[in-house]
Amino acid sequence: MAETDAREARTEAVRALEAEFGELITQFRRVIVENAHRVSPGMLPGAYKVFTTIVRRESVTISALAESLMSDKGQISRTVRELEALGLVVRTPDPTDGRSSLLSPTPEGLERLAAARHPRESALADSLENWRLADIERLTHLLHALTSGTTP
């Protein structure tokens, strides 16, 4: 009986976590839409994700970008062309593979992203203002363990 109670309690805890993640995802989607529009009015969330991935990776090929985002290489190529036209990213020849190009953010792209992110970064800092540093670090550690599939 105790084993059944423990299993049910675990199931309920996982369901509660799933519900909280659902709320977090909804809020995150809203932030992505807002940030995308601040970077460039009319920018779609998918293009914003491609752009921020390029920024995070600093220098990446289209193939590696498509693999990282688990997306079609053709769609990524079209999105990158849009980002180039907006002056957010630049292509340079890949010194290790002459058939390939490296994508990097432009200084203007980095400035626009920083400006777009600023309002929400302040909101997150405000939300966490009364949290203990140890709790923030623990949450970060636990989320990393969850996303990487490791046990904390």
Side-chain angles (χ1 to χ4, degrees):
M1 186 69 162
E3 186 176 318
T4 302
D5 290 343
R7 195 174 23 246
E8 287 176 12
R10 187 173 199 78
T11 298
E12 287 304 312
V14 169
R15 287 179 181 160
L17 179 60
E18 181 182 5
E20 290 302 321
F21 273 131
E23 291 299 317
L24 184 62
I25 289 167
T26 299
Q27 288 181 20
F28 186 70
R29 283 183 179 146
R30 189 175 307 117
V31 168
I32 294 297
V33 168
E34 291 170 2
N35 284 358
H37 287 285
R38 281 195 288 270
V39 168
S40 180
M43 177 184 270
L44 296 175
Y48 179 81
K49 179 65 177 168
V50 169
F51 177 51
T52 57
T53 302
I54 293 169
V55 169
R56 188 174 60 257
R57 301 278 299 269
E58 296 179 1
S59 184
V60 63
T61 64
I62 286 182
S63 296
L65 188 59
E67 184 178 321
S68 172
L69 296 171
M70 295 185 287
S71 189
D72 175 68
K73 190 175 171 182
Q75 178 59 44
I76 295 294
S77 293
R78 286 186 292 278
T79 301
V80 166
R81 283 193 298 274
E82 292 171 18
L83 296 172
E84 286 179 298
L86 291 170
L88 302 174
V89 300
V90 64
R91 276 180 218 248
T92 56
D94 184 343
T96 63
D97 182 354
R99 302 164 294 159
S100 185
S101 296
L102 294 175
L103 305 168
S104 302
T106 63
E108 178 186 354
L110 292 172
E111 287 176 22
R112 288 168 66 179
L113 181 60
R117 285 177 164 168
H118 181 72
R120 293 306 302 173
E121 286 173 342
S122 296
L124 181 58
D126 291 346
S127 294
L128 296 172
E129 176 138 351
N130 294 319
W131 284 42
R132 294 178 324 135
L133 178 59
D135 290 338
I136 296 169
E137 290 169 343
R138 180 75 176 145
L139 178 60
T140 302
H141 174 75
L142 291 171
L143 288 173
H144 176 76
L146 183 62
T147 60
S148 65
T150 59
T151 301

